[in-house]
Amino acid sequence: MNLPRLKRFVPITIPMLAAGIFLSDLATPVGEVHWVLYFIPLILSFYSGGRLSPFLLAGVFSVLTIMGFYWSPPGSGMETATINLGLGICTLWVVAVLLSKLRRSADEARRLSRAVEQSPASVVITDLAGNITYVNPKFCELTGYAREEVLGRNPRFLKSGEMPREAYQGMWDKILAGGEWR
């Protein structure tokens, strides 16, 4: 699915979904659990590109849930319905907090990714077997290799043989100790 297109679509969809859920709630007797449906637009808000606050939506959906509870036709099990109402509102807020934390984490990951992509240093990431899983554009610029040419290969193929064996040993000692080799 095209994410930029989804980001444009989601802010329009959320109010329409909320209105539909609210109208459905008003037509259903108390005791039916409709607040669960508010999770759909709340979770969709994550894909709005930060334009919709999960806390604002949780607040609006909490108010709509309470209004639906009081304006719906009477039903059976009022005690259970009241407990469900409280649990539902609490759950909406817990999900809002989790979505907010998830959005912050995703934003941080994007920033770090851009920093690595734009780094003036060559960056090579390998898996535990030593096979290359990522190289940044600076690596490609310095080595002349395209990303597709090196992914899955062991960095050993870069060894020119022109450096003394001790230099390679020093490099690996530094890397394996968690240091930075230049």
Side-chain angles (χ1 to χ4, degrees), residues 14 35-47 52-59 61-62 86-104:
I14 290 176
W35 59 263
V36 173
L37 297 176
Y38 285 115
F39 285 112
I40 297 167
L42 185 58
I43 291 170
L44 274 177
S45 74
F46 177 77
Y47 297 101
L52 294 170
S53 165
F55 296 116
L56 172 68
L57 291 176
F61 297 158
S62 295
L87 290 173
I89 290 172
C90 289
T91 307
L92 282 169
W93 283 95
V94 167
V95 170
V97 168
L98 293 174
L99 286 173
S100 178
K101 288 179 185 253
L102 182 61
R103 184 176 287 159
R104 280 195 304 269

Side-chain angles (χ1 to χ4, degrees), residues 48-82:
S48 70
R51 296 191 310 197
L52 294 170
S53 165
F55 296 116
L56 172 68
L57 291 176
V60 169
F61 297 158
S62 295
V63 169
L64 291 177
T65 299
I66 292 168
M67 288 169 55
F69 180 80
Y70 285 109
W71 291 354
S72 293
S76 61
M78 283 303 288
E79 184 177 309
T80 303
T82 306

Side-chain angles (χ1 to χ4, degrees), residues 6-145:
L6 182 64
K7 285 181 180 179
R8 285 194 315 268
F9 176 70
V10 166
I12 297 166
T13 305
I14 290 176
M16 290 188 310
L17 279 172
I21 294 166
F22 180 67
L23 291 174
S24 169
D25 195 10
L26 291 179
T28 308
V30 171
E32 303 284 327
V33 180
H34 276 93
W35 59 263
V36 173
L37 297 176
Y38 285 115
F39 285 112
I40 297 167
L42 185 58
I43 291 170
L44 274 177
S45 74
F46 177 77
Y47 297 101
S48 70
R51 296 191 310 197
L52 294 170
S53 165
F55 296 116
L56 172 68
L57 291 176
V60 169
F61 297 158
S62 295
V63 169
L64 291 177
T65 299
I66 292 168
M67 288 169 55
F69 180 80
Y70 285 109
W71 291 354
S72 293
S76 61
M78 283 303 288
E79 184 177 309
T80 303
T82 306
I83 292 169
N84 282 340
L85 173 72
L87 290 173
I89 290 172
C90 289
T91 307
L92 282 169
W93 283 95
V94 167
V95 170
V97 168
L98 293 174
L99 286 173
S100 178
K101 288 179 185 253
L102 182 61
R103 184 176 287 159
R104 280 195 304 269
S105 296
D107 290 345
E108 180 68 17
R110 272 191 294 281
R111 276 193 296 278
L112 291 173
S113 177
R114 275 195 303 271
V116 169
E117 283 287 312
Q118 298 171 0
S119 175
S122 174
V123 176
V124 177
I125 299 175
T126 65
D127 60 19
L128 293 175
N131 299 315
I132 297 173
T133 58
Y134 172 83
V135 294
N136 71 344
K138 189 65 172 183
F139 170 89
C140 297
E141 179 188 321
L142 292 175
T143 65
Y145 286 101

